[in-house]
Amino acid sequence: MTPKKKTFRFLALVLMTALLCISISPVLAKLPTPNPSTSPTISSALQQGKTLYDSGQFAQAVQILQQAAQNYRQQGDTKRLAATLSNLSLAYQQLGAWNQAKQAITESLNLLKSIDDRIILAQTLDIQGRLQLAMGQPEDALQTWQQAGDIYSKANDQNGVVRSQINQAQALISSGFYRRAEATLLQVNQTLRSQSDSLEKAVMLRSLGDVLQLVGKLQQSHIVLEESLAVAKRLKSPNYIAASLFSLGNNARDRQQTQQAINFYQQTVKETSSPLLKVQAQLNLLSLLIEEQKPTAALTLVPQIQSQLDQLPPSRASVYAQINFAQNLVKLGDEKENSPHHLLSPAQILAQAVQQARSLNDQRSLAYALGTLGSLYEHTRQWSEAQKLTEQALLLAQSSNAPDIAYKWQWQLGRLLKVQGDIPRAIAAYDLAVQTLESIRNDLVAVNREVQFSFRDSVEPVYRESVQLLLDTQQIQPEEKTLEKARQRIEALQIAELDNFFREACLQGQRILLDKVVDKENPTAAILYPIILPDELQVIVKIPKQPLRHYSTQISQTEVEQIVSQLRQNLVNPAAIKATRTQSQQVYNWLIKPIESQLSASGVNTLVFVLDGALRNLPMSSLYNGQQYLVEKYATALSVGLQLLDPKPLQRQQLQALTAGLTQPPQAYSDFAPLPAIRTEIELISEAGISTTNLLDRQFTSKELKKKVNTTPFNVVHLATHGQFSSRADQTFILAADGPINVTQFDSILRNRDNIRPEALQLLVLSACQTAVGDKRAALGLAGAAVRAGARSTIASLWQIDDESTAQFVGAFYRELKEANITKAEALRRAQLQLLKHPNYNAPSFWSAYVLIGNWL
């Protein structure tokens, strides 16, 4: 092997190892070919530096590289000095010596200004970008890597272009721009797919797998990460094997495959020689064990993690790791009293994180560490100290343009002011937190991902607590302006939930004047907003020609969810009518009884519910007042908020339906029962006078559906097939002859039609679907499917019912819909009443499963 090739491989391995734990691709900063006059001692020193670096002896590697750099200075060899300094920067980075690393790379770049060698410049920029990202400057790193990519492109170095694109994707991920990162990596994947195995390919696949997981494409992510692992194994690269195992662990955890995730994390710890990757895997394992309520197993990890953390050089990654560790120790609570006494407390760990962030001059990390320390003081009820730290953290987050952190400390400040009795300032702090969240809607799903982000823990409570604070102030002096603010905020939460469901800010809401919608345009509809709070159930209601009002029931969230869950189970059972009536009367008493006389006197015939939490799993038509069901008096509809819906009457043009049905599920989905009455169901639609285009059984494939959507005129889509609604987009689907059509895929099929055909989709009917068993938030998937389909109205079943009764219901619904001046909600009500009066189908389990979402007119 020539000296040139030896040097090339050494520098490649240096950066590959250095970048492993943050999943960036390698850059190959090779030295120029040595002159014959180059001292053999220098070449030997570089080889020795490689050996030391590979073995993790970074301090010794620094000494050798410093000596080589000094020798090049003495010889006046500017090119080799520049390249050696860039590699010296890498070794400094592994030691956390950021000032020295920055000094070395800056000197290298200054030297290169006087040298016309674009490749060395590009490779040095690659290393500078790595330093910037490690120091918490992803925007600067992106610009640096874009500059390097331009140089590689002009030099026709395709490998360099690929590496810079992978690096740019990592910077985009670090900034929360997941969709842009996905697009970049998919482009790189096309380039590398046909090429032989390489470490670049392993890193690219791993990065693509990670970003696919972040945007919610969990199964695709799993497949790509398995490919990454296979490449790393064929290359026999232990560190890259470990990195892929770590990503697979995160994917398995997101897919709720707990034991798989534990196994992957344990394999990562065993396989890797990287201290940072080891501690990250252990931290993820720790939090998973805490979630699974296995404190004994979790405690065995605690001393190991502290020992690993003590060995990490300062970096943003190590600061976040310490914050993560402290948060987990707080969750362990009293359990950790059984751990060794020499272990640090959460406060001591966070104090270390603060000190490290200051030493790095990383304002973002410092804001996080100070705020988390403030939350610890909040936990221990030290309000004054908690407020002081929170205000410091908030100031830092705002000055460093980090809204995804700022909202967290605005929320925390609101909680602290509330508990200290300063309600006006608490409301103001919550208002700012909500405003900040609204300003980052496009990146909402990316918020705080690196520090255990969870929508339910970190975003939803901001809206919910804010609404509670607003409504609590109304107990003394009701003010319509404040109720309107609370109503708008609960609608904003609904939109945020759907954004999180789809992992993108896909819904554009607009402010709607409620008086205009109800009083002028829909004077026979009342709109109800039930809101589940920790200790009470609040309802805001708008009755035509009346001001907004609210009322409440003192009942805990736990009790509400328990009663709703039991009612939901009983509704499915035709024999449980007595229990169903008892429990549904309880819910009626919460939501309707306080205003039943006003509703009767107002001329209202339709109740529109913007439901919250567990209540979404219930059909409101089944509520019982002791004598009759709600469906016997009112038409009902569900809305995810008027911000997403400007209700307009059904256009009375000829109804044309695209129908698709599956009587026999595909062989691979034999756990779904046959639905023989679907043929009758589709025939009854036609008999009702609706013009139909049918896809039945083998004809009903995703490809054929897409074709018909693009070529057939229709304003109704009726799907008579199995389907499932879940709180996860990847588990929400309808079943076709060629397998499941995921909700996101279904959305793209229908949205594509919007660009081709002008007529609006008036109605989507999903007649044999069900909410996922055991999923408390499954109705979120139903709302997501309804909104993203672009249909003005959606009718769907909350649970699967007898398909003979379904056929009868469907026929009745379309016959009613053909009548003049009948709203969709009223057509649904009349069809349900026909089943209610049928001797075989009068139990709520048959007729109440159907709900209307969206435009009720």
Side-chain angles (χ1 to χ4, degrees):
M1 184 180 284
T2 65
K4 176 180 177 181
K5 286 183 179 175
K6 283 183 180 176
T7 306
F8 179 93
R9 289 195 63 197
F10 161 40
L11 292 164
L13 288 169
V14 166
L15 195 55
M16 287 171 189
T17 308
L19 299 182
L20 171 68
C21 294
I22 43 178
S23 301
I24 316 174
S25 71
V27 298
L28 309 178
K30 59 183 178 182
L31 291 179
T33 305
N35 292 325
S37 59
T38 301
S39 165
T41 307
I42 297 176
S43 295
S44 172
L46 288 169
Q47 181 58 40
Q48 188 181 354
K50 169 198 181 308
T51 305
L52 290 166
Y53 192 100
D54 286 350
S55 64
Q57 300 179 66
F58 304 118
Q60 294 90 326
V62 162
Q63 292 177 358
I64 296 296
L65 290 169
Q66 282 175 331
Q67 185 59 52
Q70 186 60 33
N71 290 335
Y72 283 132
R73 271 198 190 90
Q74 291 171 358
Q75 291 184 4
D77 193 336
T78 307
K79 277 191 181 182
R80 291 173 186 79
L81 174 58
T84 302
L85 285 168
S86 66
N87 283 281
L88 178 60
S89 175
L90 288 174
Y92 277 134
Q93 288 174 42
Q94 285 286 29
L95 292 171
W98 303 111
N99 288 334
Q100 293 95 319
K102 189 174 180 180
Q103 186 178 343
I105 203 71
T106 301
E107 185 181 352
S108 175
L109 288 167
N110 286 334
L111 288 168
L112 289 169
K113 288 178 182 177
S114 61
I115 301 169
D116 185 20
D117 193 318
R118 289 181 297 178
I119 294 300
I120 292 181
L121 174 59
Q123 293 162 346
T124 304
L125 288 169
D126 282 338
I127 296 171
Q128 184 189 35
R130 183 259 186 253
L131 174 63
Q132 289 166 329
L133 190 64
M135 293 185 70
Q137 301 159 1
E139 296 85 0
D140 294 340
L142 179 62
Q143 289 182 4
T144 299
W145 282 325
Q146 286 171 337
Q147 186 183 347
D150 290 341
I151 296 170
Y152 284 128
S153 182
K154 288 173 184 174
N156 201 28
D157 182 343
Q158 290 307 308
N159 285 337
V161 171
V162 164
R163 288 191 300 273
S164 70
Q165 287 175 318
I166 299 173
N167 283 334
Q168 288 170 46
Q170 184 61 41
L172 288 168
I173 291 170
S174 295
S175 299
F177 299 116
Y178 297 159
R179 300 286 173 180
R180 285 173 59 191
E182 180 190 7
T184 300
L185 290 168
L186 285 170
Q187 182 183 342
V188 179
N189 189 32
Q190 288 301 314
T191 303
L192 293 182
R193 180 165 292 280
S194 59
Q195 297 183 14
S196 58
D197 289 342
S198 64
L199 292 178
E200 289 96 333
K201 193 171 186 177
V203 172
M204 180 279 298
L205 287 167
R206 187 172 74 247
S207 298
L208 178 58
D210 288 342
V211 81
L212 285 169
Q213 179 183 337
L214 291 173
V215 299
K217 299 176 181 178
L218 300 184
Q219 193 55 42
Q220 286 176 252
S221 165
H222 176 74
I223 292 167
V224 171
L225 290 173
E226 288 284 7
E227 288 179 37
S228 170
L229 178 60
V231 172
K233 284 181 174 177
R234 287 195 293 270
L235 293 169
K236 298 180 180 177
S237 171
N239 281 335
Y240 279 72
I241 291 170
S244 293
L245 288 167
F246 179 65
S247 290
L248 280 163
N250 294 336
N251 177 275
R253 182 175 184 175
D254 218 358
R255 288 186 296 118
Q256 300 174 332
Q257 302 290 328
T258 303
Q259 193 52 53
Q260 276 188 30
I262 289 172
N263 294 341
F264 279 129
Y265 290 142
Q266 290 173 336
Q267 289 176 58
T268 303
V269 173
K270 184 179 178 182
E271 192 78 33
T272 187
S273 60
S274 161
L276 180 56
L277 185 58
K278 192 183 291 268
V279 81
Q280 286 172 333
Q282 288 173 322
L283 282 166
N284 284 10
L285 180 55
L286 175 67
S287 65
L288 186 55
L289 291 169
I290 293 170
E291 276 179 21
E292 293 298 307
Q293 299 183 333
K294 297 179 179 178
T296 305
L299 282 170
T300 62
L301 282 173
V302 170
Q304 298 174 41
I305 292 172
Q306 182 169 304
S307 174
Q308 294 284 344
L309 282 172
D310 292 343
Q311 296 172 37
L312 291 180
S315 68
R316 175 182 281 191
S318 70
V319 172
Y320 282 153
Q322 289 175 85
I323 293 171
N324 189 316
F325 186 42
Q327 289 173 329
N328 279 311
L329 288 180
V330 172
K331 288 179 184 176
L332 270 173
D334 296 335
E335 300 286 349
K336 65 180 185 294
E337 297 301 323
N338 301 321
S339 57
H341 292 296
H342 65 272
L343 294 178
L344 297 178
S345 68
Q348 290 170 313
I349 293 164
L350 290 171
Q352 282 185 355
V354 168
Q355 187 179 357
Q356 276 194 18
R358 284 202 170 110
S359 72
L360 292 167
N361 197 27
D362 183 349
Q363 301 300 295
R364 183 184 179 91
S365 294
L366 183 57
Y368 232 129
L370 283 169
T372 308
L373 187 57
S375 70
L376 180 63
Y377 281 116
E378 179 191 17
H379 184 72
T380 56
R381 305 173 72 83
Q382 295 171 265
W383 312 124
S384 177
E385 190 62 29
Q387 185 175 332
K388 181 181 173 184
L389 286 164
T390 303
E391 287 170 342
Q392 288 177 26
L394 178 55
L395 196 61
L396 276 170
Q398 289 171 326
S399 64
S400 58
N401 191 28
D404 56 324
I405 299 175
Y407 94 86
K408 203 172 172 60
W409 308 142
Q410 288 162 339
W411 171 31
Q412 187 161 290
L413 183 59
R415 296 195 306 268
L416 289 165
L417 290 167
K418 179 186 176 184
V419 80
Q420 294 176 86
D422 192 343
I423 303 303
R425 284 183 65 204
I427 290 174
Y430 270 101
D431 287 350
L432 285 173
V434 171
Q435 287 172 25
T436 305
L437 279 172
E438 294 295 309
S439 75
I440 57 171
R441 271 192 68 213
N442 287 327
D443 299 316
L444 194 57
V445 295
V447 174
N448 306 349
R449 190 76 189 197
E450 63 268 281
V451 190
Q452 296 182 316
F453 166 68
S454 161
F455 179 86
R456 292 189 67 183
D457 295 338
S458 302
V459 174
E460 183 177 341
V462 182
Y463 289 92
R464 201 170 290 288
E465 291 169 16
S466 169
V467 169
Q468 179 172 16
L469 193 57
L470 289 169
L471 293 179
D472 283 348
T473 65
Q474 297 301 287
Q475 303 297 341
I476 304 166
Q477 187 176 0
E479 187 179 330
E480 190 171 13
K481 183 172 146 186
T482 304
L483 289 178
E484 173 62 18
K485 185 174 172 182
R487 179 194 75 79
Q488 289 185 14
R489 195 148 291 172
I490 210 69
E491 285 207 353
L493 170 58
Q494 300 255 350
I495 295 176
E497 285 182 298
L498 287 170
D499 284 345
N500 185 62
F501 175 78
F502 285 107
R503 305 281 182 109
E504 63 177 314
C506 55
L507 306 169
Q508 295 305 315
Q510 55 185 351
R511 186 168 178 176
I512 295 292
L513 295 174
L514 195 59
D515 287 348
K516 178 174 177 285
V517 169
V518 176
D519 293 345
K520 296 180 181 177
E521 297 174 359
N522 299 275
T524 59
I527 304 181
L528 294 90
Y529 294 82
I531 304 164
I532 303 172
L533 298 172
D535 299 311
E536 63 185 348
L537 179 67
Q538 286 265 11
V539 182
I540 299 175
V541 65
K542 171 61 180 176
I543 297 174
K545 310 297 184 184
Q546 295 184 24
L548 274 179
R549 58 169 293 182
H550 79 117
Y551 45 91
S552 63
T553 303
Q554 297 301 307
I555 185 170
S556 72
Q557 179 177 345
T558 304
E559 192 175 351
V560 169
E561 290 176 349
Q562 186 178 16
I563 291 169
V564 168
S565 175
Q566 289 172 353
L567 173 55
R568 176 66 170 73
Q569 291 173 32
N570 287 328
L571 276 168
V572 181
N573 182 2
I577 291 182
K578 185 176 179 182
T580 297
R581 285 182 171 178
T582 301
Q583 289 159 344
S584 92
Q585 189 169 357
Q586 285 182 279
V587 181
Y588 178 93
N589 290 343
W590 301 337
L591 305 187
I592 308 297
K593 190 174 177 59
I595 55 164
E596 58 184 2
S597 59
Q598 291 95 318
L599 288 174
S600 295
S602 67
V604 160
N605 59 27
T606 304
L607 303 182
V608 180
F609 294 87
V610 183
L611 294 176
D612 183 35
L615 288 168
R616 293 179 186 145
N617 292 325
L618 293 181
M620 293 293 104
S621 60
S622 69
L623 299 189
Y624 190 68
N625 68 2
Q627 295 180 321
Q628 60 181 177
Y629 294 105
L630 200 62
V631 72
E632 297 179 76
K633 192 169 183 180
Y634 298 102
T636 60
L638 306 179
S639 173
V640 291
L642 297 181
Q643 291 182 40
L644 294 177
L645 168 75
D646 187 5
K648 287 185 170 53
L650 178 67
Q651 294 178 17
R652 291 294 166 184
Q653 77 265 40
Q654 172 67 34
L655 292 180
Q656 296 175 292
L658 172 61
T659 67
L662 198 63
T663 61
Q664 189 68 44
Q667 194 169 359
Y669 297 89
S670 56
D671 49 332
F672 288 104
L675 299 169
I678 277 176
R679 289 180 183 275
T680 306
E681 181 176 331
I682 291 175
E683 288 169 5
L684 286 169
I685 298 173
S686 182
E687 288 174 13
I690 311 293
S691 172
T692 61
T693 300
N694 302 329
L695 292 172
L696 193 61
D697 290 333
R698 289 184 184 177
Q699 298 174 318
F700 177 22
T701 63
S702 55
K703 183 178 179 181
E704 196 61 29
L705 179 64
K706 185 174 183 179
K707 180 181 173 183
K708 291 293 185 188
V709 162
N710 291 335
T711 59
T712 307
F714 62 88
N715 47 24
V716 174
V717 173
H718 185 102
L719 300 178
T721 179
H722 285 288
Q724 176 176 279
F725 307 117
S726 166
S727 58
R728 301 165 64 94
D730 62 305
Q731 294 173 13
T732 297
F733 62 87
I734 57 170
L735 195 59
D738 55 345
I741 301 176
N742 178 268
V743 64
T744 309
Q745 183 187 356
F746 181 60
D747 160 51
S748 67
I749 290 173
L750 288 179
R751 292 282 174 178
N752 189 50
R753 166 199 184 268
D754 292 345
N755 302 323
I756 300 169
R757 312 198 70 86
E759 64 269 21
L761 179 55
Q762 295 282 339
L763 179 64
L764 169 68
V765 180
L766 303 166
S767 75
C769 296
Q770 62 185 354
T771 50
V773 177
D775 186 344
K776 293 180 182 177
R777 297 161 64 88
L780 187 62
L782 173 54
V787 171
R788 278 291 287 268
R792 291 186 173 172
S793 309
T794 299
I795 287 180
S797 54
L798 288 173
W799 58 85
Q800 189 188 335
I801 54 179
D802 173 87
D803 67 331
E804 288 288 348
S805 66
T806 297
Q808 289 202 28
F809 162 79
V810 167
F813 170 73
Y814 281 103
R815 285 194 299 274
E816 295 292 345
L817 198 61
K818 289 279 291 179
E819 294 294 320
N821 301 321
I822 294 293
T823 66
K824 297 170 194 170
E826 180 61 21
L828 171 64
R829 171 178 174 265
R830 292 183 182 186
Q832 288 179 314
L833 286 175
Q834 286 191 36
L835 284 190
L836 175 59
K837 293 170 184 174
H838 193 289
N840 296 335
Y841 304 129
N842 57 11
S845 58
F846 292 105
W847 55 262
S848 75
Y850 306 99
V851 293
L852 170 64
I853 301 172
N855 183 3
W856 61 88
L857 296 179

